[in-house]
Amino acid sequence: MKKGKRQHTAEFKAKVAIEALKEVLTSAEMASKFEVHPTQVAKWKRQLLESGAEIFSSARERREKDDEAEKDRLLKKVGQLQMEVDWLKKKLPILE
């Protein structure tokens, strides 16, 4: 009988990834211990290694990154609105 698709919590994934980083058990042993597929263990381990630096980045760096993304989004919106205003001025000469 097939089990449905399981949803794992972030805490569980982190626990498995940290255990995988320790390399005490083989990939197959880890998969058996946590009842997940060996490729899933490897995937979570890779994700932890790739995003580990973000955990230690300062709040200021994260805020600056978020602010830059917001600025880009707003500039794009301003450009779009400016194009709409220019188009309306062409179509409705009484606005000039």
Side-chain angles (χ1 to χ4, degrees):
M1 187 159 114
K2 184 177 177 183
K3 296 180 186 177
K5 185 176 178 181
R6 296 188 328 188
Q7 298 287 324
H8 299 289
T9 64
E11 292 81 15
F12 177 79
K13 292 176 185 179
K15 179 180 174 183
V16 173
I18 290 169
E19 285 290 321
L21 284 174
K22 291 179 184 177
E23 296 182 351
V24 175
L25 301 173
T26 66
S27 181
E29 291 171 335
M30 291 280 302
S32 178
K33 177 180 176 181
F34 292 105
E35 299 177 355
V36 294
H37 198 274
T39 57
Q40 192 66 59
V41 173
K43 179 180 177 183
W44 292 340
K45 178 181 175 183
R46 182 176 32 83
Q47 286 176 337
L48 179 63
L49 289 172
E50 290 173 354
S51 64
E54 292 176 17
I55 296 169
F56 298 107
S57 67
S58 71
R60 182 176 147 217
E61 290 172 346
R62 285 191 299 264
R63 189 174 54 250
E64 287 175 358
K65 187 177 177 182
D66 292 343
D67 288 348
E68 188 66 30
E70 180 70 6
K71 179 181 173 184
D72 291 342
R73 186 186 70 77
L74 291 173
L75 286 173
K76 183 178 177 182
K77 186 65 175 177
V78 166
Q80 177 190 354
L81 293 172
Q82 185 61 48
M83 286 178 50
E84 291 176 7
V85 167
D86 292 344
W87 183 82
L88 286 172
K89 283 181 179 179
K90 285 181 187 177
K91 297 296 178 181
L92 301 171
I94 57 173
L95 290 179
E96 293 180 341

